[in-house]
Amino acid sequence: MLTYQLKKQPGLPLYEALYRCIREDIRTGRLRPGEQLPSKRSLCANLKVSKITVENAYNQLLAEGYISSREKVGYFVEAVQQLPPQTPKASQTPPPEGKLLDLSGNGSPRFPFTVWSRLQRQVLLDYGQKLLLPLPNQGIGELRQAIAWHLGAFRGLEVNPEDIFVGAGTDFLYNLLVQLLGRDKCYGVEEPGYSKIYDIYRCAGARCTLLSMDKSGVLPDAATQVLHISPAHHFPTGLVTPLSRRRELLKWVGAEDGRYIIEDDYDSEFRFAGRPLPTLKAMDTAGRVIYMNSFTKSLAPSIRISYMILPSSLMEALQTRLGFYAGTVPSFEQYTLARFIREGYFEKHINRMRKFYKARRDTLLELVAQCPRRLQVLEEGAGLHFLLRVDTALTDPELVAACAQKGLKVRCLSQYYRESPPENCRGYLVINYSGLGDADIEILAKVIKTL
Amino acid sequence: MLTYQLKKQPGLPLYEALYRCIREDIRTGRLRPGEQLPSKRSLCANLKVSKITVENAYNQLLAEGYISSREKVGYFVEAVQQLPPQTPKASQTPPPEGKLLDLSGNGSPRFPFTVWSRLQRQVLLDYGQKLLLPLPNQGIGELRQAIAWHLGAFRGLEVNPEDIFVGAGTDFLYNLLVQLLGRDKCYGVEEPGYSKIYDIYRCAGARCTLLSMDKSGVLPDAATQVLHISPAHHFPTGLVTPLSRRRELLKWVGAEDGRYIIEDDYDSEFRFAGRPLPTLKAMDTAGRVIYMNSFTKSLAPSIRISYMILPSSLMEALQTRLGFYAGTVPSFEQYTLARFIREGYFEKHINRMRKFYKARRDTLLELVAQCPRRLQVLEEGAGLHFLLRVDTALTDPELVAACAQKGLKVRCLSQYYRESPPENCRGYLVINYSGLGDADIEILAKVIKTL
């Protein structure tokens, strides 16, 4: 028979105390699933409480699914989730890792933990209660000022902090843009390209058109009204849109009302040779270019901070029509990042990473050069990937399978096409080297030699 | 004449060094807007560099908008944004505050800074590099387990952590739901209600229908396919949907394929009398209820973490069709919150806040009771607001204006209707007391006395 010491506590009805005792026993497994509970009558006699107390407790347990009743038989313990174990030690739960060396995804740049952690402590001390206030939906002023300053100093882009909108990742911002520019518009995206962009516009309800690329990038087709491109460095081809094409695109966007260009500048920080061309945003005099960037590549994918820079008229429209949206980035991360930029750490980090990635790229290029078989490297001047042309009789799926068999997870250029890829794009591996360790390079070297 | 000591640096072309010197002078204001630059010829003579070096430097400055050229006249400094001041001291930039005592918005509960900050340090030490890995889009396992455990222990809701999806605020999750359930469906929302919910569904492209309330809550009309409600505590009326109506709603949702209920449980933690009723989610046997909650009210609005619990079939559909969306909450905040919950601090915080809010509510109720004029308080049992019925000849806009004149920013119930409010809802002030300080209470007391 269940026996509990039920004490009267101020504010806690007796039935509630009983309910809690039984629930605790069920949750800890002392009462096992399927076990029958005493009848109400016998329990109230045993505990010396009124029948209504037991009745209320049982009803609460019934309502919450801890027990069930079978007519004329009695009450039975249900199978419920048990109490969780203690917080697991980090060392016991290593990140899930595939067995293959993965060249298709994003890596984690070497992150300045010590600095970040110190800034976090400073932010906590300096801002305190201020960190708890509701946030301006476009991001805190300090962060927008810091971003504007960074873009001015290191990207040659003069922007008004008031035109910056900060969000938890570009996915959210793309969705916001569809709601701002209209889902009745037709969004042109690059083919081949980063397939997610197409997916997001489609799922947001917009019409989409795939724009094939020539050697200067894309040109919008007749249907396109909003053009989404990454002129600084196209993924996966690595192409940089030359100035002449940039001028053509700006001419196109200005030629008709309601046209816009979304300039995705996602990894422009990692350019290894020469100076980057000015952004379309910097060249835009008509107020039709929306600039986007993210700290995902330049800091870490787990820091969910992206931003866009809108023409002032669009920012006004956004705040008027969509101003009800709350901000999406925690204040704490925003203040920390603002300091990280303002105090020069972001620039230092980028420079360090650029050197690091360049060295890694050079190692890979050397490896390729030493290969007996003819391999050709293309578009290696920027970003964190290059194309490796393999002179092979294998089809692309066969090539990918052959690499996988040797422990190398990699994708072909043709796999980044949504529609059927042109015949001449066969045999190009997309080598994304941002996430490789030293040991990985050795594996890669071995695989390349056998290609 | 401009004079710079241009030194050859490895990796830095001379034109780039010159470009940087001039840019720096423009950015710091040493070269003023409108000032004419030396001609290319004279500058290259002065600096003893080749003409092509000066030309390249000027072209870069031109391309980036630092200078402009006037044909046959020369080059002129443009007005550009100057370097920003140093990081402002927190004390110099107090949060913007209105002069009115504001009873219409959200406050900041007293936040356990010391604990949070300690957990942050632990997380940094324990997880290190793991914090940089790309995140599972539905949230890290530790946080989902902690949420499931919390809901089981304190809300009587048994959920599988695999069915939880974490996002940066409910706004993002609502948008995701429209993309998951379909924007061709008709979404029924409460009238009166939290107007943002209607706005979000509309802007996401879904059809919406306003459902008027009776004393038990809402009933879906013939058009409704997805019903968005907050049965635990409706805003702004404060109504709790009784069990009988909950059963009716579950019957409705199960009666036709494709119907869903979105149960917004946003401030269920703050119930002052009696036990909360079981959630619709707990009562749902057909897998048609989506549960939503957020840490915005229970922790701080600046911590952007919300979550939803989907029926397993919907989670599968989400990952299949919308799995390309990246997670939106930084890993760092997720790990910190997971520990905060698992180590019992969240429960302690909620209990402390509940006491705090209850005391504040009781103070307000006492104030009202002492008023000579007849004021009536309604629906004060839960949540962080109640209704104050004022026996007045004033219209609602006049009442709001009268309060504002006395320093009290407050809204009337009728202002939460999208369409014309019924006549009998006149004279109800919505008193949201979550953000009041002790001094505020005194102002409020004075205003109430004169109502």
Side-chain angles (χ1 to χ4, degrees), chain B residues 267-283:
Chain B
D267 72 353
S268 62
E269 294 85 0
F270 301 109
R271 188 168 177 80
F272 304 127
R275 283 191 52 78
L277 288 166
T279 58
L280 282 173
K281 180 76 185 163
M283 297 166 73

Side-chain angles (χ1 to χ4, degrees), chain B residues 117-183:
Chain B
S117 158
R118 180 164 53 75
L119 293 177
Q120 280 188 322
R121 281 198 302 275
Q122 283 178 11
V123 164
L124 263 179
L125 285 172
D126 289 353
Y127 291 94
Q129 290 292 328
K130 195 181 170 184
L131 294 173
L132 303 179
L133 293 173
L135 301 165
N137 64 355
Q138 66 181 100
I140 60 164
E142 281 90 332
L143 178 57
R144 287 183 284 114
Q145 277 160 24
I147 290 173
W149 174 75
H150 168 75
L151 289 174
F154 305 104
R155 192 75 180 90
L157 182 58
E158 301 296 330
V159 299
N160 183 344
E162 294 305 309
D163 294 333
I164 298 180
F165 195 101
V166 173
T170 43
D171 301 3
F172 173 75
L173 296 177
Y174 297 156
N175 267 289
L176 208 56
L177 279 179
V178 171
Q179 297 188 14
L180 178 63
L181 304 178
R183 68 176 56 79

Side-chain angles (χ1 to χ4, degrees), chain A residues 16 64 84 131 149 275 302, chain B residues 16 64 84 131 149 275 302:
Chain A
E16 167 81 11
E64 296 182 4
L131 294 173
W149 174 75
R275 283 191 50 78
S302 54
Chain B
E16 167 83 10
E64 296 183 3
L131 294 173
W149 174 75
R275 283 191 52 78
S302 56

Side-chain angles (χ1 to χ4, degrees), chain A residues 20 24 65 114 185 232 249 266 274 283 297 301 305 313 378 391:
Chain A
R20 288 192 184 186
E24 185 66 11
T114 321
K185 283 211 164 72
L249 293 174
Y266 75 101
M283 297 166 72
K297 285 261 179 189
I305 309 188
S313 59
L378 295 104
D391 188 8

Side-chain angles (χ1 to χ4, degrees), chain B residues 234-256:
Chain B
H234 175 256
F235 183 83
T237 65
L239 200 91
V240 177
T241 301
L243 215 54
S244 54
R245 176 59 56 88
R246 291 175 191 234
R247 292 206 187 96
E248 271 180 277
L249 294 174
L250 287 171
K251 205 170 148 190
W252 168 83
V253 81
E256 218 169 272

Side-chain angles (χ1 to χ4, degrees), chain A residues 379-398:
Chain A
E379 305 293 354
E380 78 278 17
L384 305 176
H385 67 272
F386 58 75
L387 294 183
L388 185 65
R389 170 90 170 90
V390 185
D391 188 8
T392 174
L394 299 177
T395 65
D396 280 0
E398 287 166 352

